[in-house]
Amino acid sequence: PDAALPPDTVPARWTHAGIDQPQPTDLAGWWQRFDDATLTALVQQALAANPSVHGALAALRQSRALADVARAGYSPSLGGSASAQRSRSGHDDARNSFGLGLDASWEPDLFGATRAGVGAAEADARAAQMSLGNVQISLAAEIALAYIDLRDQQARLPIGDRNPAHHDDTLQITRRP
């Protein structure tokens, strides 16, 4: 329904008034905030070689090209042709014939079909751009998670190496009379 709720039905603390709204951040290189050269190199290699990224990039290029084609509908179109022919029949002299052609057309956008097509093509291009960004962010996140897990396991390894000695100490203490 279009009717607004009465102001007393929603507690004031639930509204967004007075709350600092988070500002959008650029996620293109979020992993660089870890300041780890190895992680950055791994993510860059994956982004350069991943087939999903290549597919999303190809879809973006295609949608941008289709948007350009749709925008071309605003402009008049001009076409030309040229031909040359040489013929000879029997003992007669050779005959040359030349032809030139020129075509021009323009269709005014009276009912907005071209404008709507351009808008749809531009929306498709923006969607393809967002899809590419999503693929890149997801891939970087997967690599970062695996890398952080590796670093965590590497940090736990010395603890595991010391555990047998601690168990031996505990065993010695429990065996004392």
Side-chain angles (χ1 to χ4, degrees):
D2 293 335
L5 292 174
D8 60 337
T9 59
V10 178
R13 65 181 185 275
W14 290 4
T15 64
H16 294 289
I19 298 174
D20 292 334
Q21 295 297 319
Q23 298 298 318
T25 58
D26 181 23
L27 296 176
W30 64 267
W31 65 88
Q32 294 173 354
R33 293 181 184 161
F34 288 111
D35 198 28
D36 189 313
T38 304
L39 175 60
T40 299
L42 289 170
V43 170
Q44 288 173 347
Q45 287 173 2
L47 290 175
N50 189 276
S52 297
V53 172
H54 291 294
L57 189 57
L60 174 61
R61 287 183 184 136
Q62 179 183 13
S63 63
R64 285 180 176 168
L66 290 173
D68 290 342
V69 168
R71 276 189 223 96
Y74 285 131
S75 308
S77 65
L78 184 64
S81 63
S83 65
Q85 184 175 358
R86 183 175 176 97
S87 62
R88 181 179 203 157
S89 176
H91 296 296
D92 295 338
D93 289 336
R95 293 180 30 157
N96 297 325
S97 72
F98 302 96
L100 289 174
L102 181 66
D103 293 328
S105 66
W106 180 66
E107 184 177 332
D109 189 23
L110 295 177
F111 299 104
T114 303
R115 183 177 40 241
V118 168
E122 288 174 348
D124 285 345
R126 285 190 303 274
Q129 176 82 35
M130 296 305 288
S131 178
L132 173 62
N134 289 340
V135 168
Q136 291 171 327
I137 289 169
S138 295
L139 178 63
E142 289 296 322
I143 291 169
L145 284 173
Y147 182 75
I148 290 169
D149 187 43
L150 170 72
R151 291 297 189 208
D152 178 52
Q153 295 301 321
Q154 287 174 336
R156 290 177 184 217
L157 193 58
I159 297 170
D161 289 342
R162 289 191 305 261
N163 265 349
H166 292 299
H167 287 293
D168 287 342
D169 291 343
T170 304
L171 181 64
Q172 294 298 327
I173 292 170
T174 57
R175 284 189 176 168
R176 285 187 190 156

